[in-house]
Amino acid sequence: MPIGITALGTYAPTRVLTNKDLEGMFDTSDEWIVSRTGIRERHLSGEGEFASDMGVRAVNDLLARYPGVLDGVDLVVCATSSPDAYFPSTAALIAGQVGLNGAGALDVSVACSGFVYALSVAQGMLLAGTARKALVLGAEVLSKIVDWTDRSTCILFGDGAGAAVVEEVPEGYGFQSFVLGADSVGGPSLYKFAVADRIPGVPVGEGNMMLGMNGREVFKFAVRVLSDSGEKAMNKAGLKGSDIDWMVPHQANVRIIESACQRFGVSMDKTVVNLDRYGNTSTASVPLALREALDDGRIQDGDQLLLVAFGGGLSWGAGAMKWYGGAGKRAAAQEQESDQELVVQ
Ligand code: ACO
């Protein structure tokens, strides 16, 4: 039975920090940030708001768009790089607040590749019969783990969340392939300490509680794995570049995306980019981009999608899927109880 996404909700905090605002905080410029990254602004959570709060609000958006869609959910998988706590899991915290107490709940920790990994974990558990219907989230408050005095990292990141329902879909729709990977040799290029104040390859004593990154190394890695893993996911699904209607990449840096597209042979016109307004929201970036392309009508029922992501680990995740828009249309029809124009794909 094919498994796929049937509903998608997102959230980004209302507080916006622009590049101009950053100019007042340290030595940088809007021109430098836009030319090196494509980012113009990012959304920041408030004091006392954490990843679980972002996730709950994304679920609220999901429920507003698809009323009743959480009925029958028995598994919650939350990808996050900035969890509220080691435990309870952010998934369990969110489940408790959205009426899913009792469902299996786990976090997935692979940094920015997390949403693609989490979709694959949910698919596997549904196919194994462990669960019947899953809520998959990417939820982040990266602004709380970056060093706001390090201009080469803090300019990149923002906060937000995405929430997707993953369940059985009609034949011809849903997930076609996943490719996951990690290479710890690159681990020291992107890290965040936890209990141990050491990571193999990072000299002892250099760690602090904030995110550490070697931007140039991550950049080179990202360009390579976005195209390689995307290619593998397409091959596994029996697809070629010209079959892809929309590529939805992790939103880290527009130059990374452009270089990967070039290697890949997928046009930027077929690639969803919204990092200019959100920055890098880690596990939330793919659902935020996906939701935007659904809302403005670019992605339609039956479209061939390719999701590609990379992150700390260093890790990568790619997945091919046929978008199923039927659940959205049904929900909209139920909600409106009329034959008005259906706007939700
Ligand atoms: N404003 C102005 N100048 C800056 C800034 C800034 N915000 N940040 C760095 N600079 C300076 C540097 O100090 C350096 O100056 P120098 O030449 O005098 O030493 C110069 O700009 C060039 O620095 P580079 O690091 O070489 O700049 P680069 O072109 O590589 O761009 C960037 C840096 C944007 C970080 C880029 O390397 C990048 O995007 N890398 C990928 C990072 C990424 O995607 N991380 C997320 C991974 S996902 C996850 O799992 C979290």
Side-chain angles (χ1 to χ4, degrees):
M1 73 177 175
I3 305 289
I5 296 174
T6 56
L8 185 68
T10 53
Y11 175 75
T14 49
R15 182 175 158 218
V16 170
L17 187 75
T18 64
N19 292 349
K20 269 270 173 271
D21 296 330
L22 291 173
E23 286 180 3
M25 293 164 62
F26 41 76
D27 182 16
T28 192
S29 66
D30 175 58
E31 193 278 329
W32 191 96
I33 299 172
V34 173
S35 64
R36 299 288 176 126
T37 70
I39 298 166
R40 294 180 184 278
E41 57 189 38
R42 65 289 289 147
H43 295 247
L44 300 192
S45 52
E47 249 181 70
E49 284 184 321
F50 298 101
S52 64
D53 302 304
M54 302 294 110
V56 167
R57 287 183 193 138
V59 173
N60 290 342
D61 180 53
L62 180 80
L63 288 168
R65 293 171 184 273
Y66 312 80
V69 75
L70 294 186
D71 293 353
V73 168
D74 52 0
L75 174 70
V76 181
V77 185
C78 181
T80 179
S81 316
S82 47
D84 290 25
Y86 294 119
F87 49 84
S89 67
T90 305
L93 293 171
I94 294 169
Q97 289 186 65
V98 302
L100 294 175
N101 244 337
L106 72 145
D107 284 359
V108 168
S109 173
V110 272
C112 306
S113 313
F115 190 73
V116 177
Y117 262 73
L119 291 176
S120 162
V121 167
Q123 182 203 33
M125 289 175 81
L126 265 54
L127 288 175
T130 311
R132 290 174 57 85
K133 187 174 178 182
L135 174 65
V136 174
L137 300 116
E140 300 291 0
V141 284
L142 292 159
S143 67
K144 291 187 166 61
I145 64 165
V146 295
D147 177 355
W148 283 97
T149 65
D150 176 1
R151 65 178 182 170
S152 63
T153 56
C154 70
I155 55 153
L156 300 174
F157 297 102
D159 301 339
V165 170
V166 171
E167 60 185 320
E168 202 171 334
V169 291
E171 216 45 66
Y173 288 101
F175 305 134
Q176 299 152 307
S177 66
F178 282 109
V179 169
L180 310 177
D183 178 359
S184 70
V185 172
S189 298
L190 188 55
Y191 59 84
K192 167 78 178 74
F193 284 94
V195 175
D197 191 14
R198 69 184 159 88
I199 292 171
V202 178
V204 176
E206 281 207 357
N208 58 33
M209 292 312 287
M210 298 299 147
L211 181 151
M213 184 181 80
N214 178 333
R216 285 186 195 179
E217 285 306 313
V218 175
F219 194 104
K220 284 188 274 176
F221 163 82
V223 170
R224 179 168 54 80
V225 298
L226 278 188
S227 50
D228 287 358
S229 62
E231 193 94 49
K232 282 184 187 143
M234 286 197 303
N235 288 343
K236 223 168 154 180
L239 301 167
K240 47 192 189 312
S242 54
D243 295 323
I244 305 301
D245 293 310
W246 289 103
M247 180 159 93
V248 188
H250 170 46
Q251 309 283 312
N253 180 323
V254 75
R255 287 163 52 221
I256 291 177
I257 297 172
E258 282 167 355
S259 305
C261 280
Q262 230 166 29
R263 275 178 65 130
F264 213 2
V266 171
S267 147
M268 281 295 282
D269 297 343
K270 291 182 157 201
T271 302
V272 183
V273 177
N274 68 354
L275 59 83
D276 51 321
R277 281 154 294 124
Y278 296 95
N280 179 346
T281 57
S282 191
T283 61
S285 89
V286 166
L288 277 165
L290 196 50
R291 187 65 257 175
E292 186 165 305
L294 290 165
D295 285 342
D296 64 23
R298 272 177 290 173
I299 295 180
Q300 300 280 338
D301 181 52
D303 275 358
Q304 179 63 57
L305 307 186
L306 182 67
L307 314 184
V308 284
F310 68 94
L314 294 170
S315 63
W316 59 91
M321 60 188 273
K322 275 258 182 198
W323 183 255
Y324 175 61
K329 288 179 180 162
R330 251 195 337 264
Q334 275 166 12
E335 182 72 353
Q336 293 170 10
E337 289 180 348
S338 76
D339 289 338
Q340 289 171 7
E341 192 190 353
L342 303 178
V343 289
V344 182
Q345 272 83 40

